[in-house]
Amino acid sequence: MKVLSVVGARPQLVKLAPIAAAFAETDHTHVIVHTGQHYDADLSDVFFSGLGIPDPDVHLGVGSGSHGVQTGAVLAALDPVLELERPDWVLVYGDTNSTLAGAVAAVKQHYRVAHLEAGLRSFNRRMPEEHNRVLTDHAADLLLAPTEEAMRHLAAEGLAGRSVLVGDVMVDVCLRVRDDVRADRHPRPELPEGIDPNAPYLLATLHRAENTDDAARLGALIEALAALPVPVALLAHPRLVARAEHFGLKLRLGALYPGRPLGYAGMIAAVLGSAGVVTDSGGLQKEAYLLGRPCVTLRPETEWVETLDGDWNRLIPDPWTLGAEWPAAATRPAPSTGRGEPYGDGQAARRVVDVLRGS
Ligand code: UD1
């Protein structure tokens, strides 16, 4: 069997790591195509080297652009690659523009498409990720769902017959790296200047278009983080840096200490060292949950609803409306409630390979 993975953005590289490792244990051929949606070393190269992913077989070098330009460029560039490789399956990951382009390019040429992390829904049609995941699910031949909730969404859209619950591959990689970090097999993360790793700090990220692309909203979020009573390590995505600069907003303010994004092991270590997480990232919400740190999600909804159980994660889209409850929420201690295994047992990637072979 030949499987061609299409990846391009940071969270897809994290998901690719356990999939590539699972393929490496088999005789199947796994071809990695990097679209080039993310090209900064901090968002791309460090994940290949840090997670031991083989170098991409093909790099499309597409880069940034408006949604249409970026999606269209990936689509066009994939045509000759698919023609040359003729895979049995095209595997697309998550909900980025690279995901949608990979799915559309493949179905147009009659290659079978499998969607990893299928069935997630925010029901917020203003998010680019929501269009990407809905359209990809409906185009794909095989839907590899991470959770029971995702399976329910797929069934509600008439897609149950093509759906398989495999668990979440992020658990595979998160728990393995957590154990390596605990065993001191990684160097300490480079936290932003001004953050003392031995004193309590909150770990923050902010990159969603809904939060970064409006000057007033971004300014209010920065002020809310800066007003917290503990230092906040802000690992700044290039999109955030670019938008803040464009709007004339300073990221170094009050309790807020901006720094560069971290590689995967650095991120896991930074979560483990933190008192809690404040984020709009889907992956980080889940990592906080898996690693037992309380989280605030700066969005009105989440696709990972299981993290909300037991108050491990709290949705706070507009922190400035909460008054004194905001710092109390952001610095609340870890709940004493248990966390179950809604995201699976850490063997999802092996299951993905088995399901692809058997389908
Ligand atoms: C993309 C995904 C989002 C995912 C995120 C993870 C879409 C629609 N969005 O958002 O779902 O959560 O990746 O990080 O696909 N930039 C750089 N260097 C890079 C890449 C981007 O400086 O290597 C800057 C550019 O200013 C660019 C902006 O970030 O215009 C946005 O990049 P883009 O790839 O469009 O989306 P992300 O915000 O990264």
Side-chain angles (χ1 to χ4, degrees), residues 274-288:
S274 76
V277 169
V278 182
T279 187
D280 59 2
S281 148
L284 190 52
Q285 284 170 54
K286 216 169 13 160
E287 278 143 11

Side-chain angles (χ1 to χ4, degrees), residues 199-211:
Y201 67 87
L202 293 174
L203 188 71
T205 72
L206 196 60
H207 79 281
R208 295 265 173 199
E210 313 88 89
N211 283 336

Side-chain angles (χ1 to χ4, degrees), residues 8-12 36-41 43-44 63-67 70 95-99 128-129 132-133 207-209 212 237-240 242-243 280-282:
R10 176 171 62 176
Q12 293 166 332
Q37 176 168 351
H38 283 174
Y39 43 87
D40 279 356
L43 296 191
S44 180
S64 301
S66 64
H67 289 289
Q70 192 175 53
D95 55 20
T96 73
N97 290 342
S98 297
T99 314
E129 292 85 0
N132 288 341
R133 51 174 91 97
H207 79 281
R208 295 265 173 199
T212 59
H237 185 289
R239 176 184 205 115
L240 170 63
R243 300 319 287 167
D280 59 2
S281 148

Side-chain angles (χ1 to χ4, degrees), residues 4-8 12 31 33 35 74 78 90-93 98-99 102:
L4 184 145
S5 281
V6 180
V7 293
Q12 293 166 332
V31 178
V33 178
T35 65
V74 176
L78 272 174
V90 174
L91 183 58
V92 296
Y93 299 64
S98 297
T99 314

